[in-house]
């Protein structure tokens, strides 16, 4: 009404038309509690738990029944599966955000176990060429390859900082 233009009323975010904070508007803390760095990017907090300790805290023996059920020799497979997240965490913490920091303590349950569940079905399919789109941290392709799904794997990732991870291209 009355000569007002759309959007000329008060902003929901406490910002003026130019995007600057209004006087008295409080800024909410960023999700994750960290402010943006001076360069405009998100400053990711570093985990206090070294990757070796984080991996050691996981219940890797819980994979034994899963691996035995799909017909895989559990002990050597678990040792190979333990190596992969070490590389993944080092890369994720240093160069990109492959694994959410809040998911790191549940890496085994949330990523490894879920990745290997279809091993038997994939092996029985007879296929020997696999394509994983949006593979990010290598899930599920790398755990599947480690757990015994044979053939040639192609992992496709559109984000350059993730696709540049040398550990993802040489480990499996």
């Amino acid at each position: 009404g009355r000569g007002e233009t759309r959007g000329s009323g008060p902003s929901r975010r406490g910002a003026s038309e130019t995007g600057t904070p209004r006087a008295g508007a409080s800024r909410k803390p960023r999700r994750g509690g960290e402010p943006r760095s001076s360069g405009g990017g998100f400053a990711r907090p570093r985990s206090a738990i070294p990757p070796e300790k984080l991996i050691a805290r996981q219940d890797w023996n819980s994979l034994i029944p899963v691996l035995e059920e799909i017909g895989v020799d559990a002990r050597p497979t678990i040792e190979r599966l333990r190596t992969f997240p070490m590389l993944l965490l080092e890369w994720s913490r240093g160069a990109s955000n492959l694994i959410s920091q809040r998911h790191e303590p549940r890496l085994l349950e949330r990523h490894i176990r879920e990745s290997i569940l279809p091993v038997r079905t994939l092996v029985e399919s007879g296929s020997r060429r696999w394509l994983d789109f949006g593979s990010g941290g290598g899930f599920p392709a790398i755990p599947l390859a480690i757990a015994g799904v044979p053939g040639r794997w192609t992992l496709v990732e559109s984000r350059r900082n993730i696709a540049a991870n040398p550990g993802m291209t040489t480990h499996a």
Side-chain angles (χ1 to χ4, degrees), residues 124-137:
E124 290 173 354
S125 77
S127 294
R128 294 296 179 256
R129 294 194 61 153
W130 305 99
L131 184 58
D132 180 3
F133 280 105
S135 57

Side-chain angles (χ1 to χ4, degrees), residues 39-74:
F42 185 73
R44 185 166 184 245
R46 300 287 178 216
S47 176
I49 305 170
E52 308 81 39
K53 288 185 180 179
L54 191 74
I55 300 304
R57 290 180 181 176
Q58 310 278 320
D59 182 13
W60 291 91
N61 288 333
S62 69
L63 287 182
I64 293 173
V66 175
L67 292 168
E68 288 177 346
E69 182 180 321
I70 59 177
V72 174
D73 191 3

Side-chain angles (χ1 to χ4, degrees), residues 10-150:
S11 170
R12 291 183 191 167
R13 295 186 198 155
S16 70
E17 295 298 319
T18 61
T20 57
R22 291 186 188 273
S26 63
R27 291 203 114 175
K28 292 182 181 179
R30 291 186 52 75
R31 191 173 198 182
E34 291 291 321
R36 286 190 181 268
S37 67
S38 59
F42 185 73
R44 185 166 184 245
R46 300 287 178 216
S47 176
I49 305 170
E52 308 81 39
K53 288 185 180 179
L54 191 74
I55 300 304
R57 290 180 181 176
Q58 310 278 320
D59 182 13
W60 291 91
N61 288 333
S62 69
L63 287 182
I64 293 173
V66 175
L67 292 168
E68 288 177 346
E69 182 180 321
I70 59 177
V72 174
D73 191 3
R75 293 288 174 196
T77 303
I78 288 172
E79 287 310 309
R80 290 181 64 210
L81 285 169
R82 285 177 70 125
T83 302
F84 168 61
M86 290 291 296
L87 297 169
L88 180 69
L89 286 172
E90 289 172 11
W91 181 261
S92 182
R93 290 177 178 181
S96 64
N97 188 16
L98 298 172
I99 300 289
S100 165
Q101 189 175 13
R102 70 173 180 248
H103 291 157
E104 285 181 1
R106 298 183 4 229
L107 183 66
L108 176 65
E109 301 161 20
R110 184 157 176 89
H111 297 290
I112 305 283
R113 179 188 309 275
E114 290 176 8
S115 292
I116 65 172
L117 288 176
V119 167
R120 174 170 276 163
T121 303
L122 297 176
V123 169
E124 290 173 354
S125 77
S127 294
R128 294 296 179 256
R129 294 194 61 153
W130 305 99
L131 184 58
D132 180 3
F133 280 105
S135 57
F139 295 107
I142 293 176
L144 284 168
I146 291 170
V149 177

